[in-house]
Amino acid sequence: MIISIKPWLEKADQPHHALLHSQSREILTGSAEKGSGGENPKIKKQGGVIQMAQKQDFYHESVLAQQVLDAMQPVRGKQLFDGTLGGGGHSEMFLERGAHVIACDQDSEALEYAGRRLERFGDCFLPVKGNFVDMDLILRNLGIDLVDGILLDLGVSSRQLDQAERGFSFRKDGPLDMRMDSDSVVTAKDLVNDLDEAELARIFFELGGERRSRGVAAAIVKARKECEISTTGQLAKIVAKVIPKTGSKNPATKVFQGLRIAVNREMECLESGIKKSLDLLVVGGVLAVITFHSLEDRLVKRFLRRHSAPFLDRPEWPEPKVNADYCLRLPSRKAITPVREELQANPRARSAKLRVAVKL
Ligand SMILES: C[S@@+](CC[C@H](N)C(=O)[O-])C[C@H]1O[C@@H](n2cnc3c(N)ncnc32)[C@H](O)[C@@H]1O
C-alpha cells in the first residue's frame, strides 16, 4: 500500500535556503506475510557485546545494540517506533523479543533492504517511507496515538557512506549528492555551486566545525568560476589545497559533514523530531537517541536536561520556579558509549553516544 503526502510543492525557482525546507514525502507500508519471531542466529554475544554476524550483503552494523535493548526493554505487547530503520538491525532485535515495530527511513533503499530482512515478522513490523520529523503524521495515519518507545539512531548508514553513487564519501569519487532521501530536491552539488561564499563558510564552520571554513569557501567560489564542481573527488581536491593533511583524518572530513547535515536538514529534523516525541510516548515510555557528533549530542543533551528539571533557577531570581517543560526522567545524566570490544569490532561506533529519557 502506498499513501502519498506532499505537503509542500517543490518549486524549481525557489532560493536554495527555501528549497532546503522543501521535500517530497510518501508513506509506504509493507505488506509482508505474517511470520515467526524467535532468536536470530546471526546475532551473537561476544565479551558482553551483541554483534551482528557479517552478512555477505553487509549493510550496516548496529551500534550500542545491548545498551539500546536495555533502554527500550522490548517485550511482547510493546509498540515501538524506530525513526531510523537503516539496515533494520535495531528493529530486528525488538521484533525478536516480541515487540511490534513501526519504523521509518527517508531512504527508499534502506526501506527495501530492511523490509526484506524483516519480512518474516509479518504484521508485527510496519516499514514506512518518511522522515522522522513527521513521526506524528506517520503514526496518526496508522491510527496510533502513543508508543512505548522511540529510537533515533542518527546520521548515515555504512551502506550510504560506502556507495560512491550516493555522493557521501571523499574516499570514493561519485556525484556530489549526499541526499538520504533521493526524492528530495537539493543536493550537495546545488549548495556548493549556488550558495554564496559566506553561506558556505557558515555551513562548514557551524555544521562541520571546520576552523578554516572561510578559506575553503573562498577556494570553492574561485574553483567554480572555472567549471562546475560536480563530484566528491573534485571537492575533496579543492579542500585538500586549503587544509593540509595531518594524521590519518582526511582534510575534507568536516567540510563533507557540514554539507551532509545541511543537505538533509539534520539539525532541524532532530530538534523538531525529539520535541514531537514527547507527545507520542506513553507514561513510562522511552526516548533513546544515538548521536555521532558533538553538535547533535549537545542539542539532545540540552533538550533532555531542560525537560528533566522539576525547577528552574537563575542567580537573578529570588527563588526557583516550577519548570513547565518538566516531563522526563533521565536514568543517567551521562551519555552511554560503546565498550572496548564494540570499538574493536566496529570502528564506526567510535563517536556513538546514546542518551535515554523516560516519559513521566
Ligand atoms: C545510522 S543508520 C540507522 C541504522 C539502524 N539503526 C540499524 O540498526 O541498521 C541511519 C539511518 O537513518 C536514516 N535517517 C537519518 N535521518 C533520518 C530522518 N530524519 N528521517 C528518517 N530517516 C533518517 C538514514 O537514511 C539511515 O538509513
Side-chain angles (χ1 to χ4, degrees):
M1 174 178 33
I2 294 180
I3 313 156
S4 277
I5 39 170
K6 291 200 177 186
W8 298 296
L9 283 175
E10 292 157 356
K11 291 198 186 119
D13 58 352
Q14 275 179 299
H16 274 121
H17 61 271
L19 283 176
L20 281 177
H21 297 269
S22 163
Q23 199 174 43
S24 80
R25 300 171 296 173
E26 69 179 359
I27 290 187
L28 181 147
T29 58
S31 58
E33 277 171 24
K34 204 171 177 74
S36 66
E39 288 296 313
N40 181 358
K42 289 186 204 123
I43 299 180
K44 54 181 188 243
K45 208 163 177 178
Q46 256 175 25
V49 179
I50 292 188
Q51 294 180 334
M52 306 290 169
Q54 288 287 52
K55 292 172 287 296
Q56 274 193 332
D57 60 340
F58 173 71
Y59 195 100
H60 182 83
E61 180 90 37
S62 304
V63 301
L64 293 163
Q66 182 62 54
Q67 294 87 337
V68 167
L69 279 179
D70 292 344
M72 304 289 281
Q73 301 280 327
V75 288
R76 200 164 297 283
K78 274 197 182 177
Q79 189 150 247
L80 304 175
F81 179 75
D82 179 352
T84 50
L85 177 64
H90 286 126
S91 278
E92 184 173 61
M93 297 189 318
F94 303 154
L95 289 158
E96 276 166 346
R97 284 154 183 83
H100 279 228
V101 175
I102 304 108
C104 80
D105 203 295
Q106 55 182 329
D107 182 339
S108 307
E109 206 220 330
L111 215 67
E112 207 175 292
Y113 174 89
R116 269 200 313 275
R117 175 179 176 176
L118 304 177
E119 210 169 29
R120 68 185 187 282
F121 294 101
D123 295 344
C124 298
F125 174 58
L126 205 51
V128 177
K129 164 103 167 51
N131 193 306
F132 66 66
V133 77
D134 296 320
M135 58 174 88
D136 50 341
L137 296 178
I138 290 171
L139 291 172
R140 201 182 312 140
N141 266 309
L142 297 168
I144 298 167
D145 295 327
L146 297 171
V147 289
D148 298 289
I150 295 177
L151 171 68
L152 303 178
D153 175 16
L154 302 170
V156 281
S157 65
S158 298
R159 170 66 67 100
Q160 288 166 327
L161 273 178
D162 292 342
Q163 280 183 318
E165 63 273 23
R166 300 298 299 266
F168 286 105
S169 175
F170 38 74
R171 290 201 184 84
K172 296 176 180 169
D173 197 18
L176 198 49
D177 190 321
M178 299 195 188
R179 286 170 303 164
M180 292 188 215
D181 177 357
S182 305
D183 297 329
S184 71
V185 184
V186 178
T187 65
K189 180 177 148 189
D190 297 325
L191 298 189
V192 164
N193 289 285
D194 296 347
L195 289 185
D196 67 29
E197 198 174 314
E199 271 185 277
L200 280 175
R202 189 193 63 77
I203 287 176
F204 302 148
F205 183 72
E206 285 180 13
L207 303 181
E210 177 51 64
R211 283 190 299 123
R212 299 187 200 220
S213 55
R214 288 206 188 98
V216 175
I220 287 173
V221 170
K222 189 168 169 228
R224 75 192 188 192
K225 284 185 185 143
E226 305 289 317
C227 75
E228 191 179 60
I229 303 164
S230 54
T231 69
T232 55
Q234 270 176 291
L235 179 62
K237 269 192 202 141
I238 295 167
V239 177
K241 282 187 193 148
V242 181
I243 307 172
K245 187 169 166 61
T246 49
S248 59
K249 214 170 177 180
N250 189 301
T253 305
K254 293 178 174 176
V255 167
F256 272 61
Q257 176 186 301
L259 271 178
R260 191 203 82 204
I261 294 174
V263 166
N264 296 289
R265 303 184 301 119
E266 290 177 39
M267 299 313 293
E268 295 95 315
C269 291
L270 174 58
E271 188 170 10
S272 175
I274 53 177
K275 260 188 211 144
K276 287 184 176 180
S277 71
L278 298 180
D279 293 329
L280 297 169
L281 284 170
V282 297
V283 171
V286 174
L287 170 65
V289 186
I290 303 174
T291 63
F292 288 87
H293 55 81
S294 55
L295 202 60
E296 286 173 343
D297 185 56
R298 207 176 312 131
L299 193 157
V300 175
K301 183 168 83 180
R302 285 186 183 158
F303 177 86
L304 297 186
R305 289 221 170 134
R306 196 172 74 243
H307 289 83
S308 59
F311 295 97
L312 299 175
D313 201 1
R314 290 214 188 125
E316 65 272 25
W317 293 349
E319 58 187 33
K321 293 180 185 172
V322 169
N323 178 9
D325 289 336
Y326 175 53
C327 64
L328 293 175
R329 174 177 67 79
L330 307 188
S332 164
R333 285 172 75 82
K334 282 184 72 180
I336 299 163
T337 52
V339 295
R340 201 179 56 231
E341 288 86 349
E342 177 167 8
L343 292 174
Q344 277 164 357
N346 180 17
R348 278 184 178 168
R350 66 186 172 277
S351 37
K353 282 187 177 169
L354 168 66
R355 291 193 184 268
V356 179
V358 180
K359 176 88 179 280
L360 291 170

